Amino acid sequence: MSQGPIRNSFQRVLINVAFITGSNVISRVLNLALYAALGRMFGPEGLGGYATAVAFSTYFIFAVDFGVSPRLVREGAIAPEELEEEFAQAFGIKLAMTGLTLVGLAGLYFVLPFESWVVELCVLLALASIVRSFAYLSESVCRARERLDLAGASGLANTSLFVGSSLLFLYFDFPVVAIGWASLGSAFLHVGISSLFAQKFIPLGVRIPPKWSIVRAALP
């Protein structure tokens, strides 16, 4: 009996594990280098302000995604023929949630109890998180089709550009806020790369108005 399919499946698992593990490790090392540079150049104040903005921005990924990206992986793996429609529905939901989230972010801008540069950095990183959330949706297509190598490559490209451009800004004596612009620029690149990878499997589209029952199904 031929062992070809089994061997190919095992090789695919090894490649996926290697790529996703390697990209995560390298990304963490790069981010550690950025933290080290911030601490060395701006001391506890600069490092603390950046850490505050990172913590603040994380919530906006969940606010826009609402669990539809993990759901897309699950549903797409079970029924690949439905992946295109599932993506379009999830994309419509994320667009609607983005509008609501941007309104909330605009209100928070005027009430955040931080220094002005920290508030600006919070807003920039939050905007980057919102944009990057769309990249996670495209990466979910790759994950559903068992191509974690493509998802890992997309994420690593994002981190590399973000950390590289941030360190370059710091080297030329830009303020810490410049990191926010670096994050926003890398987020758009992340969307572009992940979308190109996702288009290998399905045409990307959007369904408007969104089907809100998907949100209920996506929540824990």
Side-chain angles (χ1 to χ4, degrees):
M1 183 181 295
S2 174
Q3 298 297 314
I6 297 177
R7 185 177 295 109
N8 288 338
S9 297
F10 183 67
Q11 289 173 344
R12 171 54 56 193
V13 170
L14 289 179
I15 291 173
N16 283 337
V17 170
F19 265 87
I20 203 68
T21 301
S23 64
N24 284 333
V25 170
I26 295 173
S27 294
R28 290 180 183 275
V29 171
L30 290 173
N31 278 300
L32 181 61
L34 177 57
Y35 274 94
L38 274 170
R40 184 177 182 85
M41 298 179 67
F42 294 95
E45 182 181 1
L47 190 58
Y50 175 68
T52 298
V54 169
F56 173 81
S57 66
T58 301
Y59 293 102
F60 289 85
I61 296 176
F62 301 107
V64 173
D65 190 84
F66 249 74
V68 296
S69 292
R71 181 184 181 277
L72 181 65
V73 177
R74 182 178 69 248
E75 297 299 322
I78 295 172
E81 69 279 2
E82 298 294 329
L83 188 56
E84 179 183 348
E85 178 61 23
E86 290 287 350
F87 177 91
Q89 294 287 356
F91 197 91
I93 291 170
K94 289 176 78 72
L95 285 177
M97 293 305 302
T98 294
L100 296 174
T101 303
L102 288 175
V103 172
L105 179 60
L108 288 172
Y109 174 81
F110 296 101
V111 299
L112 288 175
F114 308 127
E115 295 182 45
S116 59
W117 70 269
V118 178
V119 173
E120 184 179 352
L121 187 58
C122 284
V123 171
L124 287 172
L125 291 185
L127 289 173
S129 292
I130 292 170
V131 173
R132 196 169 282 114
S133 174
F134 288 88
Y136 296 152
L137 184 64
S138 295
E139 288 178 358
S140 294
V141 174
C142 300
R143 294 176 186 273
R145 298 304 300 271
E146 299 182 0
R147 291 300 304 272
L148 274 67
D149 54 332
L150 296 179
S154 172
L156 182 57
N158 162 65
T159 304
S160 299
L161 177 64
F162 164 57
V163 175
S165 56
S166 295
L167 292 175
L168 188 65
F169 287 151
L170 296 180
Y171 177 79
F172 285 104
D173 295 325
F174 281 82
V176 180
V177 173
I179 295 178
W181 292 106
S183 181
L184 190 57
S186 66
F188 280 106
L189 178 71
H190 194 186
V191 171
I193 293 175
S194 61
S195 297
L196 287 175
F197 287 159
Q199 284 178 332
K200 291 178 177 290
F201 308 107
I202 59 170
L204 305 185
V206 59
R207 293 289 180 270
I208 298 293
K211 186 186 296 184
W212 294 105
S213 59
I214 292 177
V215 174
R216 292 195 297 271
L219 293 175

